[in-house]
Amino acid sequence: MFSNSRILKFLVISLLHSVQSFIPFESSRGISRKVFPTSKHTLGRLDAELINNEVLGSQIVSCLVTYVLCIGWFDRPRGELVVSEESLIVKQSCVEGAGLGLFAGRTIEKGTVLGTYPGVVLPVTAYKRKLRNFYCSSDYVWVNNERGYVIDPTDEKGLLSDYCTGGTDSYPLSVFILRTLFGSLRVTTKLARINEPPLGSDCNVLSVEIEDKQKVRFVASREIFEGEELYIDYGKNYDRSKYAS
């Protein structure tokens, strides 16, 4: 499988080749030649220039379309909500200092698949650039250090909105392209609102990592009653230093 960087390199080389093929040989060597208007010779040269313009234009358009489609594929948001939107309600968490949490809008049976974690799949190395500028994004990012990737549901400023539209800072206009041209690919971020339980409470949601597909599935580990908050174990590597004492 080709990496994002190799595909972008291919697109740039293709575009440069298209521009170079359009530049006349004399001009490319810094030689200027004046052509006086003489009937058939002039018309033939004009026809050739028009053809070159059309070829260059089509090649540029082809490169741009390919670039946009690559952005739409690699930087698209992943994840889905399997249960209905009404089944899960976002409101103030019962956990002190946790902000918003996720609650059951109806009774959820044990074993019910809630969905998969939302966000853009990124290599850990690429995410570290965002982390340096927007540390707040770490509150919601799902990290798999063993496989070297993260699932990031936050926007370009590291904030969690109701929907993840995708896009990264790896390529120019990525966020703009995903938001304007591929807005229908957006995914709800409700599952990213699940908190860890306070002391004395148990988890009622189990996470199952599907590593070969870079997905994390959330499943109800017991019956969850209507109005009950959903809780999950963040794992042993999660930084809990910000928790209220």
Side-chain angles (χ1 to χ4, degrees):
M1 180 179 292
F2 292 105
S3 65
N4 292 15
S5 58
R6 290 182 64 186
I7 290 178
L8 182 60
K9 182 179 180 181
F10 168 76
L11 293 174
V12 171
I13 292 175
S14 299
L15 183 58
L16 291 175
H17 177 74
S18 300
V19 174
Q20 185 181 26
S21 65
F22 171 70
I23 299 174
F25 176 76
E26 293 84 354
S27 299
S28 65
R29 295 175 62 87
I31 300 174
S32 175
R33 184 175 66 182
K34 185 176 182 181
V35 179
F36 293 94
T38 55
S39 60
K40 293 183 180 180
H41 177 75
T42 302
L43 292 176
R45 185 177 179 83
L46 289 174
D47 288 341
E49 289 180 353
L50 288 174
I51 292 174
N52 283 337
N53 282 333
E54 291 178 359
V55 172
L56 176 63
S58 63
Q59 289 175 331
I60 291 177
V61 170
S62 177
C63 287
L64 290 176
V65 169
T66 304
Y67 178 76
V68 168
L69 292 178
C70 285
I71 293 296
W73 175 257
F74 288 108
D75 291 352
R76 74 191 190 281
R78 317 285 181 92
E80 63 176 337
L81 194 64
V82 175
V83 298
S84 65
E85 287 268 4
E86 295 75 20
S87 299
L88 300 173
I89 300 173
V90 176
K91 61 181 182 179
Q92 188 64 36
S93 174
C94 297
V95 181
E96 183 182 356
L100 297 176
L102 193 63
F103 295 77
R106 61 171 178 82
T107 298
I108 300 174
E109 299 297 327
K110 179 181 178 179
T112 299
V113 176
L114 305 177
T116 52
Y117 200 77
V120 179
V121 177
L122 292 170
V124 170
T125 52
Y127 171 67
K128 285 181 178 179
R129 294 196 302 269
K130 181 177 182 178
L131 186 63
R132 286 194 294 268
N133 296 321
F134 305 104
Y135 186 77
C136 56
S137 65
S138 63
D139 291 339
Y140 303 104
V141 170
W142 190 279
V143 181
N144 187 319
N145 285 314
E146 294 181 0
R147 294 280 181 167
Y149 72 87
V150 305
I151 306 176
D152 179 13
T154 64
D155 62 17
E156 66 273 20
K157 295 182 180 180
L159 303 177
L160 187 65
S161 303
D162 292 337
Y163 292 91
C164 175
T165 56
T168 68
D169 62 356
S170 299
Y171 301 117
L173 300 177
S174 174
V175 173
F176 174 79
I177 289 172
L178 265 298
R179 191 167 292 168
T180 57
L181 300 181
F182 298 98
S184 60
L185 298 179
R186 70 176 191 173
V187 297
T188 177
T189 59
K190 282 188 173 183
L191 292 180
R193 296 287 186 185
I194 301 180
N195 294 311
E196 277 200 315
L199 293 176
S201 299
D202 66 325
C203 295
N204 48 26
V205 175
L206 178 68
S207 63
V208 181
E209 295 207 43
I210 311 172
E211 295 184 341
D212 59 331
K213 295 184 178 180
Q214 297 180 324
K215 291 183 177 181
V216 182
R217 180 179 295 141
F218 285 0
V219 183
S221 58
R222 62 167 175 79
E223 185 177 23
I224 306 173
F225 300 102
E226 181 177 352
E228 186 179 358
E229 184 167 4
L230 277 61
Y231 294 125
I232 196 171
D233 183 0
Y234 286 169
K236 61 182 180 180
N237 295 323
Y238 185 76
D239 180 14
R240 297 173 174 82
S241 60
K242 296 174 289 186
Y243 283 11
S245 56

